[in-house]
Amino acid sequence: MASLKKCLLVVNPIAGGNDKTELVNATKEFADAEGIELIVFETTGKEDEKSIQDLYKKHKPERILIAGGDGTVKMAAEAIGHKDVIIGILPAGSANGLSVDLNLSDDLDENLKIACHGNTIQMDMVCINGKKSLHLSDIGVNAELIRNYEGGSIRGKLGYILQAINTLKDLEDPFHAVIKANGKTIETEARMVVIANTQRYGTGVTINPVGIMDDGKFEIIILKSLDLFLIGKILTGNMPIDSVEDVEIISTEEALITTDKPVCFQIDGEFCGLEERLEVKILHNQMKIAVP
């Protein structure tokens, strides 16, 4: 394999609420030691995609390293589109579900080695109402929780657990969902319907035990159980989905999900408002990603 010459480092300075100076310095040192030219770009929230596209055109890096959460990874992946470039992840956000799924390390040096020299997979994405999802989107209780977390003042695991308690305390009634996939129609009451390209949430909980991120399919996981205690355990990562009875999993390439009322909806850890109709399809082999 030819040695790596150029990398673009995309840093989201506010992701996860932690200072990125140390991470950036460590990446610069690593690049110097490896003889890699490193171009550093900090996101501002204004026209970041265009800035990344311009830098890509100008420098033609072989790899793009992303220091941020899932939102930053997705933004950079969308900016670059289907170019022949490898994305390496340096998890540094509040939602790092994708890095959990890729089995990345907690150690920065280890992740730099993977990001710059790791093997690659061609990862799928999922298109939902025209928006792209990298790993996990859902309607129902988890999206409600994310909405409350985004509106809360406490970040990190503690903020998440506090909002989980609040969300379950004030939970709205279950919704009625109709799911059309693989030529079949399922009608059910549900607390949560997950659209999953991968297996695990950032909390570490496996919500989709059969998920493979490059198989040309996504899964719909229907959580029919109305037991709040059980849902609380799943959301906080203390209960594997395999041991829950009221769950149905469908593997498919496309689906239509409709609900009897507008329900909270989130994509990859970002609250996206209320929806009552989701048109979903797989986008096969959308991005090259470095893996251990």
Side-chain angles (χ1 to χ4, degrees):
M1 194 168 144
S3 65
L4 184 58
K5 296 181 178 67
K6 267 189 202 180
C7 273
L8 170 62
L9 172 63
V10 175
V11 184
N12 179 343
I14 60 170
N18 47 27
D19 185 38
K20 308 292 184 302
T21 315
E22 225 171 280
L23 184 150
V24 172
N25 289 341
T27 307
K28 283 177 179 168
E29 279 172 27
F30 181 88
D32 284 348
E34 299 270 330
I36 298 167
E37 184 188 336
L38 188 71
I39 302 107
V40 180
F41 169 70
E42 283 205 0
T43 62
T44 61
K46 292 192 180 94
E47 299 205 338
D48 290 326
E49 284 196 27
K50 187 181 180 312
S51 304
I52 291 170
Q53 285 163 356
D54 293 346
L55 285 167
Y56 179 79
K57 276 182 203 146
K58 185 178 171 188
H59 296 284
K60 299 272 191 298
E62 297 120 298
R63 294 199 178 206
I64 295 181
L65 312 185
I66 299 170
D70 295 331
T72 316
V73 175
K74 185 167 66 176
M75 185 271 295
E78 291 199 321
I80 294 308
H82 206 53
K83 300 272 195 299
D84 202 24
V85 63
I86 295 163
I87 290 177
I89 298 176
L90 307 173
S94 48
N96 301 307
L98 189 57
S99 67
V100 171
D101 255 314
L102 293 168
N103 294 318
L104 295 180
S105 155
D106 290 333
D107 179 63
L108 179 60
D109 282 343
E110 196 55 41
N111 286 335
L112 281 166
K113 284 177 196 150
I114 294 164
C116 293
H117 305 302
N119 295 321
T120 60
I121 60 166
Q122 291 251 24
M123 187 175 160
D124 298 337
M125 286 169 120
V126 181
C127 178
I128 308 170
N129 289 0
K131 292 178 177 166
K132 287 180 184 171
S133 166
L134 282 176
H135 65 115
L136 292 164
S137 303
D138 52 61
I139 52 170
V141 57
N142 185 57
E144 248 177 89
L145 167 53
I146 286 170
R147 177 188 64 184
N148 296 343
Y149 176 78
E150 284 181 7
S153 55
I154 299 169
R155 287 284 165 262
K157 284 266 161 43
L158 176 63
Y160 190 84
I161 287 165
L162 288 173
Q163 290 302 346
I165 295 164
N166 286 343
T167 305
L168 293 172
K169 199 174 77 217
D170 304 327
L171 199 58
E172 291 170 15
D173 290 336
F175 54 91
H176 184 78
V178 178
I179 294 138
K180 294 183 177 178
N182 302 330
K184 293 186 185 135
T185 301
I186 293 170
E187 291 200 37
T188 178
E189 295 290 298
R191 283 283 186 198
M192 179 166 152
V193 177
V194 184
I195 298 160
N197 185 35
T198 59
Q199 295 192 354
R200 289 179 290 181
Y201 281 114
T203 52
V205 62
T206 297
I207 197 83
N208 177 23
V210 298
I212 300 169
M213 55 182 90
D214 58 354
D215 64 348
K217 286 186 174 0
F218 63 90
E219 278 71 43
I220 297 170
I221 297 97
I222 309 162
L223 198 64
K224 299 175 186 176
S225 170
L226 308 181
D227 176 344
L228 296 189
F229 180 66
L230 181 89
I231 289 168
K233 287 180 82 167
I234 292 170
L235 290 182
T236 51
N238 296 316
M239 178 102 186
I241 200 94
D242 332 29
S243 54
V244 182
E245 282 175 16
D246 289 344
V247 173
E248 185 157 353
I249 299 180
I250 304 160
S251 269
T252 185
E253 292 168 25
E254 57 183 308
L256 174 66
I257 302 167
T258 50
T259 57
D260 62 335
K261 60 182 179 187
V263 183
C264 286
F265 171 55
Q266 69 89 15
I267 292 183
D268 295 347
E270 207 174 310
F271 181 65
C272 297
L274 302 171
E275 292 289 347
E276 47 193 327
R277 181 186 173 90
L278 300 176
E279 292 180 30
V280 195
K281 62 174 195 246
I282 196 76
L283 303 169
H284 193 34
N285 290 356
Q286 285 289 296
M287 62 188 230
K288 280 188 182 171
I289 206 151
V291 293

